[in-house]
Amino acid sequence: MRLLHFADLHLGMENYGTLDTKLGYSTRVRDYLAAFDQVIDHAIEHQVDAVLFAGDAFKHRDPSPTIQREFAKRIRRLAAAEIPTVLLVGNHDLPSIDARATPMDIYATLDIPFIYVARDPDVLRLETRGGPLQVVTLPWLSRNRLLDPEQRRNPDPGAVSRAAAEATSLILSALVDQLDPEIPAVLLAHLSIEGARLGSEQSIMLGEDLVLDTDELRVRAFDYVALGHIHQHQLITARPPTVYAGSLERIDFGEEREDKGFVLVDIQPGPAGERRVEWTFQPVRSRPFVTLRIKAVHEDPMVDVEREIEQRAADLDGAIVRAFIAVPPEREELLRIDEVRRMLLQSGAAYVAKVVRDVDLQVRPRIELRDHETLDPVAALEKWLSLRDLTENQRRRILEAGKALIQAERDGE
């Protein structure tokens, strides 16, 4: 049985883009859709048995009709290929009031074949080409859903978090009790796990995160744990594989060095009735982000800028770029920002996020001495040492040497 696990599409993000009037949406939306298309193409071409989406389909809970249409086009392709697909609801998909629909509820309302919307914790039993599959769904759960008003009013934030974690663990325990041990089982969840490495998603997370550990998630009950919410692809535990797929596109420069993609999971029968699970990360072609740090030492700083851009032309092609240019203050006016932007775009950059003058003012620390210290060279030396980035041992040795020189000077007078 082969599964495809992806997460955190965040369709509708438009930062570092411009409006494409022919399509009716931002060039950055086009980037996200291109990455999404690679997921859909792979699922269909390689005939995976099921697709598991771990939440956050959209940038926010009210995507435009245009954005919803583009998402629906791609989900329709999975349905037409008869690939069972589970769409988990993430925190960015949730309405502000529980009674309101999520953008994905339309698929459940229309009863689209092979498409399952998971807004609540549940056990789904899917019939796939590779056999039956159990999927325990754990969408984003707010504290309002997990705790009663009295628990939420507790002034101790730690106690509230512990109560929410315990409530989530109890929900999962009840679902695990429903599993058939003879059938492969996967946990599909949108949440934060203790120890996971965070990145730029911290700036777009909504509300206060509930952080759980793997014991509270009952991970040992599953063959594979498919996670969403954290954008950096990473393995949390090896047995069973507990994996964040990561996002499909870079949100900003905080994710500049991160690979983006999805996860392929193979579950096969193993010895003694145990199942063997192998997984691989499949990168997608996503929009590169590139930071240039240029030190302009030439009399004309534009000479250094042009040379660096020419040397990095291959990296800049099709990239979203920012540049920090260190320049001495006396040549600051020779650095022409508009011309730097033009050179970057001519080199093939898709978008220039910023060009920043980093002027080296070489400000030296000032020593302020009180009246009784002005005639004491030892006090002046101590003050000077306090302003330097030195270890305690270095500071002590310099002070001792300084005192010796001062004393020798005094003895010679």
Side-chain angles (χ1 to χ4, degrees), residues 35-190:
F36 192 14
D37 282 334
Q38 293 173 65
V39 175
I40 304 300
D41 290 344
H42 190 100
I44 294 172
E45 291 171 11
H46 295 268
Q47 296 185 331
V48 301
D49 294 298
V51 171
L52 305 178
F53 173 63
D56 278 356
F58 302 103
K59 173 187 175 182
H60 51 66
R61 62 178 65 96
D62 295 313
S64 71
T66 300
I67 297 298
Q68 292 186 65
R69 179 195 67 193
E70 296 305 313
F71 183 80
K73 284 180 181 178
R74 289 148 179 87
I75 296 303
R76 182 178 178 275
R77 291 184 61 201
L78 292 174
E82 299 185 355
I83 299 175
T85 300
V86 183
L87 302 176
L88 192 72
V89 173
N91 56 312
H92 283 260
D93 306 316
L94 275 177
S96 56
I97 299 174
D98 286 343
R100 292 180 178 173
T102 75
M104 291 187 291
D105 283 347
I106 188 68
Y107 302 99
T109 302
L110 295 176
D111 197 20
I112 305 295
F114 301 100
I115 306 300
Y116 304 85
V117 177
R119 182 171 178 170
D120 298 303
D122 201 358
V123 179
L124 302 179
R125 289 178 171 82
L126 310 182
E127 292 300 326
T128 79
R129 296 187 185 101
L133 172 69
Q134 302 172 107
V135 180
V136 171
T137 60
L138 188 64
W140 179 267
L141 298 176
S142 66
R143 285 172 167 77
N144 286 347
R145 292 188 66 185
L146 291 168
L147 305 176
D148 60 42
E150 185 175 348
Q151 289 174 307
R152 297 198 301 270
R153 283 195 295 268
N154 191 322
D156 180 1
V160 175
S161 294
R162 287 191 297 274
E166 290 171 4
T168 304
S169 185
L170 288 173
I171 290 170
L172 270 174
S173 294
L175 296 176
V176 166
D177 288 343
Q178 300 177 36
L179 294 177
D180 183 344
E182 301 300 319
I183 299 174
V186 171
L187 172 61
L188 180 62
H190 190 89

Side-chain angles (χ1 to χ4, degrees), residues 292 294-298 300-312 316 323-326 334-336 339-341 343-344 355:
L292 294 180
I294 304 171
K295 191 169 184 178
V297 297
H298 195 275
D300 181 356
M302 297 301 293
V303 172
D304 292 312
V305 171
E306 184 175 9
R307 182 186 298 116
E308 181 70 13
I309 290 175
E310 288 177 352
Q311 292 176 350
R312 297 289 301 276
L316 299 177
F324 298 90
I325 305 170
L334 298 176
L335 181 63
R336 299 180 293 279
E339 188 173 341
V340 175
R341 286 182 173 274
M343 292 166 62
L344 288 168
V355 177

Side-chain angles (χ1 to χ4, degrees), residues 37 65 73 79 81 103 126 128 155 159 200 226 256 276 284 297 302-303 334 340 342 352 374 388 407 410:
D37 282 334
K73 284 180 181 178
L126 310 182
T128 79
S200 297
E256 179 176 349
R276 186 177 70 253
V284 297
V297 297
M302 297 301 293
V303 172
L334 298 176
V340 175
R342 180 183 58 78
V352 178
T374 55
R388 316 317 296 176
Q407 187 61 46
R410 284 173 174 170

Side-chain angles (χ1 to χ4, degrees), residues 367-376 379-380 382-383:
I367 300 176
E368 295 183 3
L369 299 175
R370 291 184 291 271
D371 291 341
H372 72 279
E373 295 174 322
T374 55
L375 300 178
D376 185 353
E382 290 175 337
K383 278 281 188 181

Side-chain angles (χ1 to χ4, degrees), residues 144-352:
N144 286 347
R145 292 188 66 185
L146 291 168
L147 305 176
D148 60 42
E150 185 175 348
Q151 289 174 307
R152 297 198 301 270
R153 283 195 295 268
N154 191 322
D156 180 1
V160 175
S161 294
R162 287 191 297 274
E166 290 171 4
T168 304
S169 185
L170 288 173
I171 290 170
L172 270 174
S173 294
L175 296 176
V176 166
D177 288 343
Q178 300 177 36
L179 294 177
D180 183 344
E182 301 300 319
I183 299 174
V186 171
L187 172 61
L188 180 62
H190 190 89
L191 44 69
S192 293
I193 287 189
E194 188 175 335
R197 300 185 303 277
L198 299 178
S200 297
E201 70 276 6
Q202 296 177 85
S203 64
I204 61 171
M205 286 179 178
L206 303 179
E208 201 173 322
D209 260 21
L210 172 65
V211 181
L212 303 177
D213 62 34
T214 53
D215 288 338
E216 289 168 325
L217 282 180
R218 300 287 302 276
V219 297
R220 296 184 184 279
F222 301 97
D223 296 293
Y224 179 79
V225 178
L227 299 174
H229 187 48
I230 291 179
H231 293 180
Q232 186 175 355
H233 164 64
Q234 56 194 290
L235 174 69
I236 303 299
T237 66
R239 293 188 179 181
T242 301
V243 181
Y244 279 103
S247 56
L248 290 179
E249 257 293 332
R250 295 176 181 90
I251 298 294
D252 58 25
F253 285 92
E255 299 178 10
E256 179 176 349
R257 300 184 183 279
E258 295 179 11
D259 289 331
K260 298 299 179 182
F262 55 92
V263 180
L264 295 171
V265 186
D266 284 296
I267 303 177
Q268 301 293 340
E274 294 185 1
R275 286 180 286 274
R276 186 177 70 253
V277 181
E278 296 179 353
W279 65 275
T280 56
F281 178 72
Q282 182 72 34
V284 297
R285 296 180 304 278
S286 57
R287 180 70 62 185
F289 278 59
V290 175
T291 299
L292 294 180
R293 300 189 184 277
I294 304 171
K295 191 169 184 178
V297 297
H298 195 275
E299 283 189 15
D300 181 356
M302 297 301 293
V303 172
D304 292 312
V305 171
E306 184 175 9
R307 182 186 298 116
E308 181 70 13
I309 290 175
E310 288 177 352
Q311 292 176 350
R312 297 289 301 276
D315 297 331
L316 299 177
D317 188 29
I320 294 170
V321 182
R322 63 178 178 177
F324 298 90
I325 305 170
V327 60
E330 63 272 16
R331 292 197 281 273
E332 178 183 1
E333 296 304 318
L334 298 176
L335 181 63
R336 299 180 293 279
I337 298 297
D338 288 344
E339 188 173 341
V340 175
R341 286 182 173 274
R342 180 183 58 78
M343 292 166 62
L344 288 168
L345 291 172
Q346 287 181 341
S347 75
Y351 187 90
V352 178

